[in-house]
Amino acid sequence: KAGVTQTPRYLIKTRGQQVTLSCSPISGHRSVSWYQQTPGQGLQFLFEYFSETQRNKGNFPGRFSGRQFSNSRSEMNVSTLELGDSALYLCASSPGLAGATSSYEQYFGPGTRLTVT
Amino acid sequence: GDSVTQMEGPVTLSEEAFLTINCTYTATGYPSLFWYVQYPGEGLQLLLKATKADDKGSNKGFEATYRKETTSFHLEKGSVQVSDSAVYFCALSPYNTDKLIFGTGTRLQVFP
């Protein structure tokens, strides 16, 4: 079974631009979560989608948004990029359940490294 | 809010030494607890998990026990190898969510 894939793996953008990152979950997984990893703040939860609906959201500004498609693939978008948005963005998938459960393992992709100049 | 605290690194050990990485948590209700590992240049991999009090998670010689009375989930391994060198993250998932809250990570360096 193929793992979680993320594209692109590396991106360089300029302040003020916007960016879209893509995540393809493991086949059959319906839940996709996004995390930001930086040296200063560590790993922080952005949001989680299940069956095309945002089910949980972290404490990030509205510039960070996401969506999920009917095939469970997900995209996240960051608008008006700031230098502080430079980070490794990780996507994770899990089987999920309607009604949620905290016992499912999340499988992480390799990440997209975003550099904002 | 919910949070995870883990010991600062780096932890430097010789091969075959005993490893402990401390992790404590603050959470309402009954979270699930996890240890993830990140090898250089790679994404996160689940190492082990425990979903209720007194559960012991284990994998690849690593163990951790869910201690509700001390709100802890310390990672241990009896004999580390050079290949265990990585960053280890303790995490919790609040009850009834798929969201993960991570600790700051502990870098382990094992020398021959």
Side-chain angles (χ1 to χ4, degrees), chain A residues 4-102:
Chain A
V4 178
T5 58
Q6 294 187 244
T7 56
R9 292 293 309 278
Y10 302 91
L11 262 180
I12 300 175
K13 290 286 188 179
T14 303
R15 260 183 312 175
Q17 289 185 314
Q18 75 164 18
V19 67
T20 300
L21 312 182
S22 181
C23 172
S24 292
I26 291 171
S27 176
H29 284 191
R30 298 167 66 189
S31 171
V32 174
S33 298
W34 289 89
Y35 295 83
Q36 182 196 64
Q37 185 176 23
T38 61
Q41 299 298 316
L43 276 156
Q44 294 185 286
F45 172 78
L46 280 154
F47 29 65
E48 183 225 350
Y49 286 86
F50 178 82
S51 290
E52 302 179 64
T53 301
Q54 188 181 87
R55 192 160 66 172
N56 286 291
K57 188 177 188 307
N59 297 322
F60 278 81
R63 299 185 298 106
F64 292 81
S65 63
R67 60 177 175 168
Q68 187 180 33
F69 302 95
S70 59
N71 61 358
S72 294
R73 191 176 70 83
S74 177
E75 290 181 346
M76 70 162 279
N77 184 275
V78 187
S79 63
T80 320
L81 283 165
E82 301 177 359
L83 294 178
D85 298 332
S86 295
L88 180 66
Y89 290 88
L90 293 166
C91 164
S93 77
S94 75
L97 269 183
T101 173
S102 59

Side-chain angles (χ1 to χ4, degrees), chain A residues 31 33 35 37 43 45 48 55-56 88 90 94 96 99-106 108-110, chain B residues 30-32 34 36 38 41-44 46 49 51 89 93-100 102-103:
Chain A
S31 171
S33 298
Y35 295 83
Q37 185 176 23
L43 276 156
F45 172 78
E48 183 225 350
R55 192 160 66 172
N56 286 291
L88 180 66
L90 293 166
S94 75
T101 173
S102 59
S103 64
Y104 275 110
E105 301 172 15
Q106 292 199 35
F108 283 80
Chain B
Y30 303 93
S32 292
F34 305 84
Y36 279 85
Q38 189 172 35
E42 298 185 17
L44 288 166
L46 178 67
K49 70 174 185 180
T51 58
F89 293 91
S93 184
Y95 179 73
N96 217 31
T97 77
D98 271 350
K99 165 183 175 179
L100 283 169
F102 286 91

Side-chain angles (χ1 to χ4, degrees), chain B:
Chain B
D2 297 349
S3 65
V4 175
T5 302
Q6 60 182 108
M7 62 189 289
E8 296 278 338
V11 173
T12 304
L13 294 172
S14 298
E15 207 165 25
E16 299 183 5
F18 184 85
L19 168 71
T20 299
I21 300 178
N22 290 337
C23 171
T24 57
Y25 68 91
T26 301
T28 54
Y30 303 93
S32 292
L33 302 175
F34 305 84
W35 277 99
Y36 279 85
V37 59
Q38 189 172 35
Y39 297 101
E42 298 185 17
L44 288 166
Q45 300 176 26
L46 178 67
L47 183 58
L48 52 84
K49 70 174 185 180
T51 58
K52 60 183 187 297
D54 300 325
D55 266 2
K56 178 187 281 189
S58 61
N59 186 27
K60 299 181 182 180
F62 291 90
E63 292 183 340
T65 301
Y66 189 143
R67 302 282 188 204
K68 192 159 179 65
E69 64 276 14
T70 55
T71 61
S72 65
F73 193 55
H74 304 320
L75 182 68
E76 297 182 335
K77 186 176 185 183
S79 176
V80 294
Q81 305 300 312
V82 172
S83 57
D84 293 327
S85 298
V87 180
Y88 292 81
F89 293 91
C90 184
L92 71 82
S93 184
Y95 179 73
N96 217 31
T97 77
D98 271 350
K99 165 183 175 179
L100 283 169
I101 297 169
F102 286 91
T104 53
T106 302
R107 181 176 300 280
L108 171 65
Q109 297 174 319
V110 182
F111 293 95

